[in-house]
């Protein structure tokens, strides 16, 4: 069960409003263009460790490990032109909850409707989980 109650700040704006994991920013305030450098050294070390563990498991299960697999993936992602999905063809489209009811903002919203509140809703809501199983 989840309850969304009106609040001054939404969950996405709490703290410093930055997404998690933190992204590295250049002096110009922009993110670096290379996707490998966006998350910093700590993330790179964790990623390398997980990648090495995966390779060990693949070898143990007699799966073929390609030597330049990471470079192949990043070069493919750089070359690929992304396709914009039109709204009427989007199978993963989310029907967002409207926080207004009869022209007035609701004090609280429960259940699935609370999970489908947009981050930039007006008024803002914060999610609470009173019962967790």
């Amino acid at each position: 069960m989840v309850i969304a109650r009106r609040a001054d700040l939404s969950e996405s704006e709490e703290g410093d409003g930055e997404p998690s994991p933190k992204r590295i920013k250049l002096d110009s305030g922009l993110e670096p263009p290379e996707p490998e450098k966006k998350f910093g050294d700590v993330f790179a070390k964790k990623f390398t460790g997980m990648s090495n563990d995966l390779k060990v498991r693949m070898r143990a299960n007699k799966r073929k490990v390609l030597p330049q697999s990471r470079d192949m993936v990043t070069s493919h992602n750089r070359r690929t032109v992304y396709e914009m999905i039109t709204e009427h063809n989007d199978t993963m489209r989310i029907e967002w909850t409207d926080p207004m009811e009869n022209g007035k903002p609701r004090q609280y919203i429960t259940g699935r409707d609370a999970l489908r509140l947009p981050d930039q809703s007006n008024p803002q809501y914060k999610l609470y989980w009173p019962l967790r199983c």
Side-chain angles (χ1 to χ4, degrees), residues 1-5 97 106 108-117 126-130:
M1 170 183 241
V2 62
I3 300 173
R5 300 195 70 197
T97 301
R106 296 190 258 181
Y108 63 90
I109 302 170
T110 59
R112 182 171 293 202
D113 290 340
L115 295 173
R116 294 182 181 231
L117 281 167
K126 185 173 178 182
L127 298 177
Y128 295 94
W129 305 82

Side-chain angles (χ1 to χ4, degrees), residues 71-102:
D71 295 334
M72 290 171 52
V73 170
T74 55
S75 67
H76 171 75
N77 288 341
R78 254 187 238 116
R79 284 182 283 133
T80 304
V81 178
Y82 298 103
E83 176 185 351
M84 293 297 292
I85 300 174
T86 55
E87 194 165 322
H88 69 278
N89 283 338
D90 191 1
T91 58
M92 303 299 283
R93 183 170 176 254
I94 295 174
E95 295 291 333
W96 297 105
T97 301
D98 185 17
M100 301 297 227
E101 189 173 58
N102 298 329

Side-chain angles (χ1 to χ4, degrees), residues 6-48:
R6 287 177 63 179
D8 294 333
L9 296 174
S10 68
E11 292 179 337
S12 64
E13 295 172 334
E14 282 183 337
D16 55 3
E18 289 284 326
S20 181
K22 299 286 185 201
R23 272 75 167 169
I24 299 292
K25 291 201 170 143
L26 302 173
D27 292 334
S28 62
L30 300 173
E31 293 181 356
E34 302 88 9
E36 307 87 46
K37 297 181 182 176
K38 282 188 180 180
F39 300 108
D41 294 334
V42 175
F43 182 80
K45 287 178 186 175
K46 287 183 181 180
F47 179 83
T48 304

